[in-house]
Amino acid sequence: MNETSFRRTRAEPRNPRLALFASAAFDLIVPLAVYYILRQNGVPLLTAAIVGGIVPVVRTGYVFARYRKIDGLGLFTVTMVVVGTAVSLVSGDARFFFAKDGWLTAAFGVWMLLTLFFEKPFFLHAGVSIARTKRGGAGAEVWERRWDTEPRMRHGLRLLTVVFGVGMIVDAVVRVVLAYTLPLDDINLVTTVQWIVVLGGLIGFMACYSRKHDLRA
């Protein structure tokens, strides 16, 4: 292995799919497990929720420490978690703590839709990152050049951005409603399952649509 290959191995994960599943496990399953383990051992509800919510922050810190990089979404997520946790501690409102995840997904959905008014939408940038991980800088350049030469690609990436943006906002509305109507100890489980279903549906649509319209990076 030459020096360039060694630096690249240290700079980014080798398997993007494995990294994605690991991220999902830490951000969804592990916090839920931590929450219910703590609750079964008599830890107060808000304290258990906050401790479980720290897990994604720890994962983001680990990724930064190991690969020396942090994406804008990761930084945004950590910021929202920290701010939401601080407000929850000050107010003592457990329902607000659970509802803050809805505000997070709503903000992300709105941001995705806003990128439609810029020169390049969210999914073009996402595709560039994926292509760079899979095929290096040359692959990323090829992917980005397609935006300038293929009207069908531009339409497809804008459509995906709309679908994901609207999906995030709808998920947020449902999540906030659940946070203020369900019994407190049921909120974490129900909203986590809801998010898995919504995210799975969005990713499934993206995979089918991208395959059909040649939009895989």
Side-chain angles (χ1 to χ4, degrees):
M1 179 183 293
N2 59 35
E3 184 179 354
T4 301
S5 299
F6 179 74
R7 285 199 303 266
R8 182 171 178 176
T9 300
R10 288 182 58 85
E12 57 190 32
R14 291 183 177 183
N15 190 325
R17 290 187 179 88
L18 182 60
L20 177 62
F21 284 119
S23 172
F26 273 91
D27 288 352
L28 296 173
I29 299 172
V30 176
L32 186 65
V34 169
Y35 170 78
Y36 282 108
I37 289 172
L38 292 176
R39 288 293 289 149
Q40 289 175 359
N41 286 275
V43 176
L45 186 144
L46 184 56
T47 302
I50 290 173
V51 173
I54 291 173
V55 173
V57 178
V58 173
R59 181 190 65 80
T60 301
Y62 168 77
V63 170
F64 175 75
R66 182 171 182 181
Y67 302 113
R68 290 295 185 268
K69 66 178 182 179
I70 182 170
D71 56 66
L73 177 58
L75 182 59
F76 176 69
T77 302
V78 170
T79 301
M80 290 294 290
V81 168
V82 171
V83 172
T85 300
V87 174
S88 299
L89 286 171
V90 172
S91 66
D93 187 351
R95 291 191 181 277
F96 175 82
F97 181 85
F98 291 120
K100 72 171 175 46
D101 293 333
W103 302 121
L104 171 63
T105 54
F108 185 42
V110 169
W111 173 69
M112 291 180 75
L113 294 178
L114 286 176
T115 65
L116 293 167
F117 297 96
F118 300 131
E119 184 179 357
K120 298 174 181 178
F122 169 81
F123 268 96
L124 177 66
H125 297 290
V128 169
S129 297
I130 294 170
R132 181 174 292 109
T133 300
K134 292 167 63 175
R135 294 186 292 274
E141 290 177 5
V142 170
W143 167 262
E144 194 163 18
R145 280 200 300 270
R146 290 182 59 192
W147 174 263
D148 298 321
T149 59
E150 300 181 24
R152 184 179 178 185
M153 178 192 186
R154 293 195 293 271
H155 170 77
L157 294 183
R158 288 191 177 106
L159 177 63
L160 286 175
T161 301
V162 169
V163 170
F164 265 74
V166 172
M168 292 288 183
I169 294 171
V170 171
D171 171 81
V173 172
V174 174
R175 187 183 296 267
V176 172
V177 170
L178 292 175
Y180 284 100
T181 56
L182 289 176
L184 280 170
D185 268 322
D186 294 339
I187 297 171
N188 214 347
L189 176 60
V190 173
T191 55
T192 298
V193 171
Q194 172 207 341
W195 176 235
I196 291 173
V197 171
V198 170
L199 188 61
L202 289 173
I203 291 176
F205 171 78
M206 179 183 67
C208 293
Y209 187 86
S210 298
R211 188 182 305 112
K212 181 178 180 180
H213 297 278
D214 189 27
L215 294 176
R216 288 177 292 183

